[in-house]
Amino acid sequence: MTTTATNRAAPEATTATRITSAAGSATRITSAAGSATRVGSVPVLWLALLATPMAAGANAPVLILPDMARALGVSASTAGWLVAAYAWAMAVATPLLAGLLRRRGLRTALRSAGALLVVGTLLVAASPWLPLTLAGRATQAAGGAGLAAVAMSLAGSARRMGVISAGFGILGACGPLLGAQLAQAVSWRLSLSVSVIAILAVPAVSRYAAAPTATPTPQGPFDARGAALLAALATGLVLLPHAPGAALAVAALAAALLTLHVRRRPDGFVPAALIRKPLFLGSALLALVLSGSYFTLLFSVPRLLADRAGWDVATAGTGQLVALLTGSALSWLLATASARMSRTAVRAVLLGAGALAAATAAFADRGPLLLAATMGGVFAATGANAVLSMHAASSAPEPQRPTAIGLFALCYQLGGAFGPALATALVLAA
């Protein structure tokens, strides 16, 4: 990954690296998909394979946008909508497919998400037109979001979810370089298809997650209005960095209507009891802040390495990749240790690491310190997803845990939308 390519792609890829992950609390939590014993029987490597390829797929276009634009006969900024469409669909689909898991059970969610991923990949591979390719990318993202929601619900412990969370960070860090290599060797269309690897895990996860975990939770009538309003709110917020005026208006209107709807139907798609719980709100908001800080650093540090430390493109890109991989791996250690830590201690570690990373980036003028800031940022953000997601889930009754995970993941993804916009305003546009 190079500094020049990263900076050039940042406006189009502001949400490309928003990868939703989740993790566990100090004790095993029974998911809404079934019993803890049955859930824990799914090998974690299958769950990682199910969830994490979407991270590489989301980031694969970062360095190859010009190639994609030339092939489709459009400008690079227009081709950037292939990144935005993926991020938008992932944000919108995460709570929606978590709701499908809650209402229809694990096997229906697995099959539906897998079908979406395959259909989307076929469209991307064959479409000669940008609009159809956009539809394919959005369909891919929806399928990947559904598979990730299933993996989160089946993990059940901090240690296992730490593996998934670290996998998101590692594959997300490798995604741009992997996409560039595949595009050079074969085609940019293959680069956009790497997330389909997740389909290999669907039969295995379905086999391990037998009868009890496949049973849907009894529900009342589907709250279509609540789901639509949440999707509209997510759409407005995700597109805020791209079209601030229109997106802000859509988000404000959707938020007002959703608030009124939740009051009228407190047990609907967005449960009133869940969003009023301090544990859920605190976990989700802290994840949003740490996510936003990390993605600000992700796009700012390459430029800072060149301006303050005088590093060349190759050195800066290699250093940042090593820092991202290291921080992502360290987050798994925190997820494992969190089983022996209080919630207050875990949050203190996350806040401390995130604040130290931001302060270091603001004042450091040496390359190793700036890379340490990147490592601290990804450690705090990925670690937050690895621990706080199941803190949030534990605040909900068992049938609502997929919903809690979906809403938590949406908050994390919003940090990924706002962070690069801040980087552009504070550093990249200077």
Side-chain angles (χ1 to χ4, degrees):
M1 183 191 310
T2 64
T3 303
T4 302
T6 301
N7 289 345
R8 182 181 66 243
E12 293 87 359
T14 55
T15 48
T17 52
R18 296 201 321 266
I19 309 302
T20 310
S21 62
S25 59
T27 59
R28 288 185 177 267
I29 299 174
T30 305
S31 80
S35 68
T37 301
R38 182 70 68 174
V39 166
S41 69
V42 184
V44 69
L45 293 181
W46 283 120
L47 297 182
L49 179 59
L50 189 71
T52 58
M54 67 180 295
N59 292 0
V62 169
L63 300 180
I64 59 173
L65 282 175
D67 297 334
M68 294 160 52
R70 283 192 296 270
L72 293 169
V74 298
S75 66
S77 60
T78 301
W81 282 102
L82 288 169
V83 173
Y86 194 98
W88 165 79
M90 188 168 58
V92 171
T94 296
L96 294 179
L97 285 166
L100 178 66
L101 174 63
R102 173 186 170 188
R103 295 183 62 86
R104 298 297 183 184
L106 174 64
R107 293 195 173 184
T108 298
L110 267 177
R111 292 168 182 169
S112 300
L116 288 171
L117 180 59
V118 171
V119 169
T121 301
L122 290 175
L123 287 176
V124 168
S127 170
W129 305 295
L130 178 63
L132 193 57
T133 309
L134 284 170
R137 282 293 280 171
T139 305
Q140 275 184 320
L147 295 180
V150 169
M152 294 171 193
S153 295
L154 292 177
S157 74
R159 186 183 185 92
R160 287 159 59 84
M161 286 308 304
V163 173
I164 296 173
S165 180
F168 274 120
I170 291 170
L171 288 183
C174 295
L177 182 59
L178 176 62
Q181 294 296 322
L182 290 176
Q184 182 178 7
V186 183
S187 167
W188 62 268
R189 295 182 184 274
L190 181 61
S191 301
L192 300 190
S193 302
V194 294
S195 60
V196 79
I197 295 172
I199 203 70
L200 297 176
V202 170
V205 173
S206 182
R207 181 173 67 252
Y208 277 103
T213 55
T215 303
T217 303
Q219 303 289 330
F222 178 65
D223 181 13
R225 180 176 297 180
L229 289 173
L230 180 63
L233 175 60
T235 298
L237 293 175
V238 167
L239 296 180
L240 196 58
H242 301 277
L248 183 61
V250 170
L253 178 60
L257 293 176
L258 182 59
T259 300
L260 294 175
H261 178 73
V262 169
R263 290 176 180 173
R264 288 195 298 264
R265 188 167 176 181
D267 58 345
F269 192 83
V270 181
L274 175 63
I275 61 176
R276 290 171 182 163
K277 289 193 174 181
L279 178 57
F280 175 83
L281 287 178
S283 300
L285 292 177
L286 180 55
L288 189 154
V289 170
L290 292 175
S291 171
S293 175
Y294 159 56
F295 286 107
T296 302
L297 293 173
L298 181 67
F299 287 95
S300 298
V301 166
R303 174 73 172 269
L304 297 177
L305 285 169
D307 292 348
R308 297 181 185 175
W311 286 23
D312 60 31
V313 169
T315 303
T318 302
Q320 188 182 39
L321 178 60
V322 172
L324 291 172
L325 295 176
T326 304
S328 298
L330 289 175
S331 70
W332 178 77
L333 297 179
L334 175 64
T336 302
S338 68
R340 300 182 296 275
M341 299 169 65
S342 68
R343 288 173 178 166
T344 301
V346 169
R347 295 184 184 212
V349 170
L350 294 173
L351 276 172
L356 182 60
T360 301
F363 299 107
D365 58 1
R366 296 183 179 180
L369 289 178
L370 290 170
L371 291 180
T374 300
M375 184 175 67
V378 70
F379 167 80
T382 308
N385 278 296
V387 180
L388 298 183
S389 59
M390 294 305 282
H391 286 185
S394 69
S395 68
E398 183 177 323
Q400 291 181 354
R401 284 177 186 161
T403 298
I405 289 175
L407 295 176
F408 175 92
L410 178 58
C411 289
Y412 180 83
Q413 291 165 4
L414 293 178
F418 302 147
L422 287 173
T424 300
L426 298 175
V427 177
L428 300 180

